[in-house]
């Protein structure tokens, strides 16, 4: 089990490599006594993302670390709720969302937007 406050401890912030070593040694760990689990290696993440029947991409909650060290969820929506769009929807909704977006994210479209983005940035920065 991994205590959530270990991520934010001064030692881990100044030198995260001992924490990384521990995470790699146990690629899937429960965070505290919460319902959150951490996949910390490439293989563990690939396995989880490939098993959408068991592991949803829906962002249903975010983790809140309390001062006493406990971890609680902040609910964000149930699987299938309309808040789950391209980045967090499961198939088949993800594919339906992705198709029209990919056309607009093609390199030639993004390059065409660069001058507009630069102009807006300069204006806002000034």
């Amino acid at each position: 089990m991994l205590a959530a406050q270990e991520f934010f401890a001064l030692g881990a912030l100044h030198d995260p490599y001992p924490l990384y070593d521990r995470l790699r040694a146990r690629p899937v760990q429960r965070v505290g006594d919460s319902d959150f689990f951490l996949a910390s290696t490439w293989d563990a993440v690939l396995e989880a993302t490939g098993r959408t029947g068991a592991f949803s991409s829906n962002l249903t909650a975010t983790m809140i670390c309390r001062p006493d060290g406990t971890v609680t969820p902040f609910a964000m929506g149930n699987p299938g709720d309309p808040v789950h769009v391209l980045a967090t929807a499961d198939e088949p909704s993800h594919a339906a969302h992705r198709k029209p977006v990919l056309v607009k994210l093609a390199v030639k479209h993004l390059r065409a937007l660069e001058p507009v983005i630069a102009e807006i940035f300069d204006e806002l920065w000034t």
Side-chain angles (χ1 to χ4, degrees):
M1 189 172 354
L2 178 69
Q5 59 269 33
E6 291 180 66
F7 289 106
F8 307 107
L10 284 179
L13 293 174
H14 290 289
D15 181 14
Y17 297 102
L19 175 62
Y20 295 163
D21 290 340
R22 285 188 46 224
L23 293 173
R24 280 189 295 273
R26 289 190 52 219
V28 178
Q29 295 188 52
R30 188 176 196 165
V31 179
D33 59 359
S34 74
D35 290 333
F36 291 96
F37 287 82
L38 173 71
S40 58
T41 64
W42 182 255
D43 290 338
V45 171
L46 281 180
E47 180 183 347
T49 57
R51 294 174 51 201
T52 56
F55 304 103
S56 174
S57 297
N58 288 169
L59 183 58
T60 57
T62 187
M63 187 171 45
I64 298 175
C65 301
R66 304 281 180 195
D68 66 358
T70 59
V71 174
T72 57
F74 178 80
M76 311 238 344
N78 294 319
D81 279 357
V83 299
H84 299 293
V85 293
L86 180 62
T88 61
D90 289 325
E91 296 296 350
S93 296
H94 178 75
H97 296 159
R98 181 181 62 237
K99 189 175 180 178
V101 171
L102 281 179
V103 173
K104 295 298 180 185
L105 293 179
V107 173
K108 70 176 186 175
H109 289 286
L110 293 177
R111 282 196 186 120
L113 288 174
E114 187 177 0
V116 175
I117 293 168
E119 183 180 328
I120 292 170
F121 172 82
D122 289 340
E123 181 181 321
L124 291 173
W125 185 259
T126 302

